[in-house]
Amino acid sequence: SAVISQKPSRDICQRGTSLTIQCQVDSQVTMMFWYRQQPGQSLTLIATANQGSEATYESGFVIDKFPISRPNLTFSTLTVSNMSPEDSSIYLCSVEVAGDYEQYFGPGTRLTVT
Amino acid sequence: KQEVTQIPAALSVPEGENLVLNCSFTDSAIYNLQWFRQDPGKGLTSLLLIQSSQREQTSGRLNASLDKSSGRSTLYIAASQPGDSATYLCAVRLTSYDKVIFGPGTSLSVIP
């Protein structure tokens, strides 16, 4: 298993600003992911955070809006840039444990954009 | 394209009742299926992971079954408790290299 922490747990931000969310894992993992969960919706994958190379983004998500860093095997950041109220969501970091390909999630960051 | 649905969308039961949550997927050639629990405003907690070669998995009062041929999985919760109140999501992976596709979830409320 893996224990994942995220910072901040929640934030209220003004339109046009940016927020960086941190994800820390207690062990080295190969795969790290960032998800968005809009109010009342299920999870949508934003991107796969690749260690040492650019993240792989899903359709509808671009690097300019959601830049991601992955400097090592235990840490990643997601930045939500030039925020609008439509970015109000829970952002979740997830990791995958090799072998069974089981996914584990962090506690999430609840973002409100005013 | 793999699609995952969950029925019912919401469920309210009295404490002590046994219940079944359903998950359906359109492509039966899956690699694994995972059930999660999500409390309001929180992250996801992994409940059970079923590999494609398995028919069921059990953990405490939870039992998950998998029928690939019919594209269905069920999560059985025995003797429900108010603490079981949460949203339950199933997630399907097609291959070991594919992303996971989540269902919309079932919101469960267990009434004391």
Side-chain angles (χ1 to χ4, degrees), chain A residues 85-100:
Chain A
E86 292 71 36
D87 294 320
S88 297
S89 298
I90 297 175
Y91 291 86
L92 295 148
C93 172
S94 170
V95 304
E96 193 171 271
V97 175
D100 284 344

Side-chain angles (χ1 to χ4, degrees), chain A residues 29-31 96-104, chain B residues 31-32 49 51-52 93 95-97:
Chain A
V29 293
T30 304
M31 305 297 287
E96 193 171 271
V97 175
D100 284 344
Y101 296 95
E102 184 167 1
Q103 279 204 299
Y104 296 90
Chain B
Y31 184 82
N32 64 29
L49 172 71
Q51 302 295 345
S52 62
R93 179 195 299 274
T95 72
S96 62
Y97 298 101

Side-chain angles (χ1 to χ4, degrees), chain B:
Chain B
K1 177 186 171 185
Q2 179 74 278
E3 293 185 2
V4 182
T5 56
Q6 292 186 245
I7 295 174
L11 181 64
S12 182
V13 301
E15 181 178 2
E17 193 162 297
N18 302 324
L19 57 99
V20 174
L21 308 181
N22 297 290
C23 172
S24 298
F25 43 94
T26 53
D27 189 334
S28 62
I30 65 169
Y31 184 82
N32 64 29
L33 184 146
Q34 197 166 352
W35 282 94
F36 294 90
R37 167 190 172 135
Q38 185 176 31
D39 292 291
K42 304 294 186 182
L44 277 66
T45 300
S46 178
L47 297 175
L48 290 164
L49 172 71
I50 310 178
Q51 302 295 345
S52 62
S53 59
Q54 298 173 322
R55 296 297 300 270
E56 65 177 342
Q57 284 283 353
T58 298
S59 176
R61 294 182 294 109
L62 305 179
N63 176 276
S65 67
L66 175 64
D67 183 347
K68 286 197 309 178
S69 61
S70 66
R72 294 190 348 181
S73 175
T74 60
L75 179 66
Y76 175 82
I77 303 177
S80 58
Q81 303 171 358
D84 295 330
S85 298
T87 296
Y88 291 80
L89 299 104
C90 69
V92 171
R93 179 195 299 274
L94 273 183
T95 72
S96 62
Y97 298 101
D98 273 323
K99 65 181 181 180
V100 171
I101 307 297
F102 281 84
T106 293
S107 176
L108 172 65
S109 178
V110 181
I111 311 301

